[in-house]
Amino acid sequence: MPAHRVDITLPATPEAARSARRALPEAVIGSDLADDARLLVTEAVSNAVRHTESTRIRMVVEVEPGTDRLLCALRDDTPHLGAAHQTPAGCAQRESGRGLGLIAALSQSWGVATDGAGKWVWFWLGASAHRA
């Protein structure tokens, strides 16, 4: 069975996070991943809208068939890594900027990679990532 995949480009506007949530694959909706996936996609897209100079954001979401694992990767057109992408440490003390802290806390792994013309922020999410 092939992976469930979404690959969309969103305008970098405040409405982008809502559009990204709506684009999550059907395999996620109703699964144990649904709440965490919606939250982390919202935070990652909002972070890209607020902290980059991009006019668009590409979102790729893939759900592994037969598993409860999801990969989400977001690309913006800003190749440099701002302070918001370097570490989630201290995020909880600020009024805003908690997105990467949430991604670090709820995902199995996450990271940032540049590709010369932009950067990708990615995370793996699994139903058992933070539950005992």
Side-chain angles (χ1 to χ4, degrees):
M1 172 184 273
H4 300 277
R5 182 182 170 97
V6 169
D7 188 340
I8 62 171
T9 300
L10 303 164
T13 64
E15 295 80 26
R18 182 178 353 176
S19 298
R21 283 191 305 273
R22 288 184 181 153
L24 285 172
E26 279 298 314
V28 174
I29 309 308
S31 75
D32 290 341
L33 295 175
D35 291 339
D36 289 347
R38 285 187 196 103
L39 174 63
L40 297 190
V41 163
T42 298
E43 293 297 333
V45 170
S46 296
N47 194 51
V49 169
R50 272 189 227 119
H51 300 292
T52 72
E53 299 167 6
S54 295
T55 58
R56 61 195 169 137
I57 299 160
R58 180 177 175 197
M59 180 179 84
V60 179
V61 177
E62 195 166 294
V63 180
E64 289 183 347
T67 71
D68 237 0
R69 277 180 45 95
L70 170 145
L71 171 65
C72 178
L74 292 125
R75 185 187 185 281
D76 63 61
D77 296 327
T78 305
H80 64 275
L81 301 177
H85 293 98
Q86 293 175 7
T87 177
C91 290
Q93 286 83 37
R94 297 194 313 241
E95 184 70 22
S96 66
R98 297 182 189 149
L100 291 180
L102 286 171
I103 291 170
L106 297 178
S107 68
Q108 291 177 322
S109 62
W110 74 281
V112 180
T114 60
D115 65 11
K119 72 178 155 307
W120 289 89
V121 175
W122 58 268
F123 62 86
W124 277 101
L125 183 63
S128 62
H130 65 279
R131 293 174 178 83

